[in-house]
Amino acid sequence: MSNHTPPPAPPAPGPQQPPPPAQPSQKRRLRPGYLAALASLAVALVMVVVVAAVGTRIGHPEPDFAVDVTGGGLIEVEVEEGDPLGEMVLITADHDGTCIQGAPESGLETGRFIGGGLDVYGPDEMVARSVFLLDEPGTHVFECGEEVEGGLAPAATTVDAAETRQQIWAVTALGVPTVAVLLAAGLALGTFLRSRKENAPGPPPPGKPRP
């Protein structure tokens, strides 16, 4: 009769380690690049709203009148020898009435009409009407209607300056939103590519050499 040795008893299990505490979930914060892109888009949107509200009819400073023609009648303007006044523009509060120029030698002239109402001047939104040339020395007489309210101002500092200001406004109104949108697209794309590169898995560990 053979004696069978009972198998050894399995070792008693040691104390179980408690599971590691769950890490609190971290909220993903928006990257600064995306925030900058959103800010650029906001600037573009504000400019679009301003352009839509203002349009091409922007206000210009109130002109500095060299001759006041309010109330109409006969207005005399003296031009000294060697000191021509150049082009003078008639600017009035509305389109009622007009002025006729009586030059020393060339007779009556109505002036070169430049109206259109795209440019307004001063808080009363006055408009440019006609341009008169005051180069000849002597007395220039203007006959204006009683309903005329405004005056004559140098064209170079009013109409020409308004056209330059209008061009600058147009370039700004179109350029700023375009640059802002392109900048936002560039920032968003760069941030996306950087985030994708950072989150990409690393290279696998090298395999163990065979024995």
Side-chain angles (χ1 to χ4, degrees):
M1 184 174 181
S2 60
N3 295 328
H4 293 282
T5 304
Q16 296 183 355
Q17 298 293 333
Q23 297 292 335
S25 60
Q26 297 182 355
K27 294 183 179 180
R28 298 185 62 182
R29 299 178 60 183
L30 201 60
R31 290 178 175 266
Y34 290 129
L35 294 177
L38 290 176
S40 299
L41 289 177
V43 171
L45 180 60
V46 170
M47 284 301 301
V48 169
V49 172
V50 171
V51 172
V54 177
T56 59
R57 191 178 177 85
I58 65 174
H60 302 285
E62 187 171 358
D64 185 14
F65 290 127
V67 180
D68 187 7
V69 298
T70 299
L74 296 177
I75 295 101
E76 295 183 353
V77 180
E78 293 290 338
V79 177
E80 302 293 337
E81 184 74 30
D83 188 20
L85 297 180
E87 290 187 335
M88 304 290 287
V89 58
L90 173 65
I91 299 180
T92 61
D94 49 41
H95 292 276
D96 294 335
T98 187
C99 293
I100 299 176
Q101 176 189 11
E105 296 181 2
S106 58
L108 296 178
E109 297 181 1
T110 58
R112 176 168 55 88
F113 179 72
I114 61 169
L118 293 180
D119 296 328
V120 294
Y121 303 86
D124 296 332
E125 297 190 351
M126 308 178 82
V127 294
R129 303 285 305 283
S130 304
V131 172
F132 300 94
L133 184 61
L134 277 70
D135 279 348
E136 299 179 13
T139 302
H140 294 252
V141 179
F142 288 87
E143 183 177 356
C144 302
E146 296 180 356
E147 62 274 17
V148 174
E149 181 181 351
L152 294 170
T157 58
T158 51
V159 176
D160 296 345
E163 292 177 355
T164 302
R165 193 179 295 109
Q166 187 79 26
Q167 294 173 358
I168 295 175
W169 163 253
V171 171
T172 303
L174 296 176
V176 171
T178 302
V179 172
V181 170
L182 293 177
L183 179 61
L187 289 172
L189 179 60
T191 304
F192 172 76
L193 294 178
R194 189 181 304 112
S195 175
R196 187 175 181 180
K197 183 178 179 181
E198 292 175 356
N199 295 333
K208 295 183 180 180
R210 294 183 177 179

